[in-house]
Amino acid sequence: MKNFVVLGGGTAGWFAAFELRRLFGAGVSVTVVESPRVGAIGVGEGGILNFPAALVGRYGIDLDAFLEGTGAVFKLGFEYIGWNNGRDDDVFYHLFHSLPTEGDGRVIDGIAPYWSMLAAHGIGIHHAIYSLPFVLANASQREVRSACEASGGLMPWSLHFDAHRVSAWLKLAGMARQIETHVGNVVELVRDAESGHVHGLRFEGEERTMPCDFLIDASGFARIALQKAMGMQFRSFTDCMILDRAIPFYIPHPRANPHLVTSALAMNAGWMWQIPVRERVGCGYVYSSAHLSEDEALAEIETRLGHEIEPMPTLRFHAGHFPEVWVGNVMAVGLASGFIEPLEATSIGQMLGQLVMFGETVAQSQGVVPQSTISTFNHRNLLDWDGIRDFLCLHYDVRRRDTPFWRDVASRPLPTSYTDLKAAWQLRTPRPVDFNAYRAGHVLHFDATSWFSVGQGVGVVPQAAAQADLGMLPREVVRFAEAFLDSVRIRNAATMHM
């Protein structure tokens, strides 16, 4: 294969092009096709931990140049407001973290003693996270970067960014790597009659056909390859994930420095994201159209914020994914392969994880990839989507019943893969072994401590489960955990009196 084509010039498309160039070097042609009619989707985006790992580690992007060129800012996790009772004083955090080690209560048989000690006493386990004081103090970008570099890995981070600026910056970086671009509207994927493989692309108003040996479809919600050209069946998650609209908009920064977490504010029929970049905050109300009209959603936004907004066009989506994303010589990534909703920045995280899995598959196969390996790839990718779906189901397994939406969410059937875990967590806290089914040999996006953080925050993991953990630990370990609990109480008391 000599001619690789990436269909779509958004974030997913450019990262896919970087992966192809990394895999095959300068001996092949990599072309990103951009439509003049379609722009990048997103008003404020956020990554998870695999974003900086890909950006800096895998693809060798200079962090300083990226920050300067895109206005991106550091992100330390997620903040949830009003998810249990709708009030602004109902707050919990899911902060990025490293797995507990010797220094902060090492894991013993899957139990994180310090975390369990906090949870057993009704204290949020985010108080065990190194980054919490920086979030609460609204630390500056310089302070956060210095702390991250000095922490020895105890303060992992990701980034908040504007998708439009990132796509434009990645394009310049890609062109410097001899990745070509072509602007045009695709009217046909030319396919072989027997194999179904794509061997060319035809464009509106152009006579020549662009040759193609392998196609990566990053065409977003247009889903040109799998849906339009191949008619592949979509696997819907709408039985348990009912949000299907998003109204994006911008607001000025409400703080002296950009907030260090993605805020997720619970609303009457969904939730509102607030994602800071350097100049402003990108926001959006993600809601269920079965419970709210667009006008009602706009009115609720303005009531919640206390001022008028200038909304951008409403985005429509359908929760789910394609069970097979690699078919013949075509692979779909990003929105072209599936989407659930923006919560927990899973879309970009899943895309990057899939590209890593693709790269490992091709490299370890030395480019000779049998169909059985492709089938295994697709199965692993499906399990990844299952894990994301179940993790998001956890967020909506809350106690509030004050609006029709939240009552409807509570009555929806949940996947048995999630309810089985929930039943176990009534007796003990989440364990790494619980998530092996989602891992399937590749990196897990959200480990046991992420599930513990959110599970405690929404009340799915009760205090009794953490208390049971402590009863399984050696007494000496429990004493160390009790000392840590005392230090957290002292620190919290001092903060309250400042």
Side-chain angles (χ1 to χ4, degrees), residues 340 343 346-347 349-350 383-393 438 445-446 451:
I340 300 180
L343 198 65
T346 60
S347 183
Q350 192 280 332
L383 293 177
D384 193 19
W385 279 108
D386 283 352
I388 292 171
R389 176 203 60 196
D390 289 0
F391 187 52
L392 296 187
C393 282
Y438 306 135
H445 296 307
F446 302 104
W451 292 72

Side-chain angles (χ1 to χ4, degrees), residues 292-491:
L292 211 61
S293 70
E294 188 170 322
D295 288 342
E296 289 170 331
L298 283 168
E300 188 186 353
I301 292 170
E302 294 180 345
T303 299
R304 181 68 181 266
L305 297 177
H307 59 78
E308 294 184 354
I309 64 164
E310 294 185 15
M312 301 178 75
T314 298
L315 304 175
R316 301 183 176 210
F317 58 91
H318 180 102
H321 70 100
F322 292 99
E324 294 183 313
V325 294
W326 184 349
V327 182
N329 70 334
V330 173
M331 183 178 74
V333 299
L335 300 178
S337 71
F339 182 70
I340 300 180
E341 61 146 294
L343 198 65
E344 290 278 357
T346 60
S347 183
I348 290 177
Q350 192 280 332
M351 175 270 293
L352 292 173
Q354 182 183 327
L355 287 175
V356 169
M357 186 165 60
F358 171 76
E360 290 175 348
T361 300
V362 173
Q364 292 176 20
S365 301
Q366 294 182 297
V368 183
V369 188
Q371 180 56 47
S372 59
T373 299
I374 296 174
S375 298
T376 299
F377 173 95
N378 284 324
H379 178 66
R380 289 166 63 188
N381 193 63
L382 184 147
L383 293 177
D384 193 19
W385 279 108
D386 283 352
I388 292 171
R389 176 203 60 196
D390 289 0
F391 187 52
L392 296 187
C393 282
L394 170 65
H395 292 65
Y396 290 97
D397 195 359
V398 296
R399 292 160 284 194
R400 64 179 296 183
R401 303 287 188 272
D402 56 315
T403 70
F405 168 81
W406 291 105
R407 289 192 291 274
D408 195 9
V409 165
S411 67
R412 291 264 166 174
L414 294 169
T416 55
S417 51
Y418 167 72
T419 56
D420 284 350
L421 292 176
K422 179 182 177 180
W425 298 338
Q426 306 316 295
L427 304 175
R428 46 85 171 167
T429 60
R431 302 281 197 272
V433 71
D434 293 338
F435 311 105
N436 285 343
Y438 306 135
R439 189 186 305 275
H442 67 290
V443 173
L444 192 68
H445 296 307
F446 302 104
D447 63 23
T449 44
S450 290
W451 292 72
F452 195 168
S453 295
V454 177
Q456 183 199 29
V458 298
V460 166
V461 180
Q463 284 183 240
Q467 291 164 357
D469 281 359
L470 300 179
M472 302 176 193
L473 292 170
R475 182 57 198 160
E476 180 183 359
V477 173
V478 174
R479 282 199 299 270
F480 280 115
E482 288 171 339
F484 174 75
L485 172 66
D486 290 340
S487 71
V488 169
R489 284 174 166 164
I490 292 169
R491 186 168 67 238

Side-chain angles (χ1 to χ4, degrees), residues 62-325:
D62 181 78
L63 178 61
D64 289 311
F66 182 83
L67 295 174
E68 182 61 31
T70 64
V73 296
F74 284 89
K75 169 184 176 179
L76 301 180
F78 304 86
E79 172 187 61
Y80 290 90
I81 302 172
W83 284 70
N84 291 297
N85 57 31
R87 298 197 307 265
D88 287 348
D89 61 354
D90 166 26
V91 180
F92 70 90
Y93 293 91
H94 168 210
L95 300 179
F96 296 138
H97 51 270
S98 54
L99 286 173
T101 60
E102 292 286 346
D104 57 353
R106 64 193 183 281
V107 173
I108 299 176
D109 292 334
I111 301 172
Y114 288 13
W115 295 58
S116 293
M117 180 60 73
L118 291 176
H121 289 82
I123 298 173
I125 61 175
H126 51 264
H127 287 282
I129 304 299
Y130 190 87
S131 62
L132 180 65
F134 297 90
V135 174
L136 297 180
N138 189 222
S140 70
Q141 291 293 295
R142 180 176 296 179
E143 290 171 323
V144 169
R145 182 165 186 178
S146 296
C148 289
E149 292 172 350
S151 71
L154 287 176
M155 193 164 153
W157 52 272
S158 188
L159 296 173
H160 285 132
F161 49 86
D162 183 305
H164 303 274
R165 292 184 65 181
V166 165
S167 296
W169 193 91
L170 292 177
K171 178 178 180 177
L172 294 176
M175 292 171 68
R177 301 177 186 214
Q178 288 74 54
I179 296 172
E180 300 174 7
T181 60
H182 181 88
V183 178
N185 292 308
V186 175
V187 294
E188 182 186 4
L189 299 182
V190 184
R191 302 173 65 198
D192 181 81
E194 291 187 14
S195 67
H197 286 196
V198 173
H199 59 77
L201 289 80
R202 291 199 179 115
F203 296 90
E204 184 181 87
E206 300 182 28
E207 292 186 6
R208 82 176 187 98
T209 298
M210 178 183 289
C212 177
D213 297 320
F214 194 92
L215 176 70
I216 292 186
D217 182 10
S219 62
F221 287 137
R223 294 170 177 162
I224 290 173
L226 296 189
Q227 183 171 291
K228 292 183 177 177
M230 299 181 178
M232 299 292 292
Q233 187 174 359
F234 194 75
R235 183 188 181 208
S236 175
F237 286 158
T238 55
D239 53 342
C240 57
M241 306 301 300
I242 61 176
L243 299 185
D244 60 355
R245 299 285 190 276
I247 300 176
F249 58 96
Y250 291 106
I251 62 172
H253 278 295
R255 297 172 175 83
N257 297 310
H259 203 20
L260 296 171
V261 290
T262 297
S263 290
L265 288 71
M267 303 283 279
N268 288 341
W271 63 281
M272 183 197 306
W273 81 74
Q274 292 187 348
I275 296 178
V277 292
R278 192 174 301 173
E279 301 86 359
R280 55 190 176 182
V281 180
C283 304
Y285 184 3
V286 191
Y287 67 97
S288 163
S289 63
H291 297 85
L292 211 61
S293 70
E294 188 170 322
D295 288 342
E296 289 170 331
L298 283 168
E300 188 186 353
I301 292 170
E302 294 180 345
T303 299
R304 181 68 181 266
L305 297 177
H307 59 78
E308 294 184 354
I309 64 164
E310 294 185 15
M312 301 178 75
T314 298
L315 304 175
R316 301 183 176 210
F317 58 91
H318 180 102
H321 70 100
F322 292 99
E324 294 183 313
V325 294

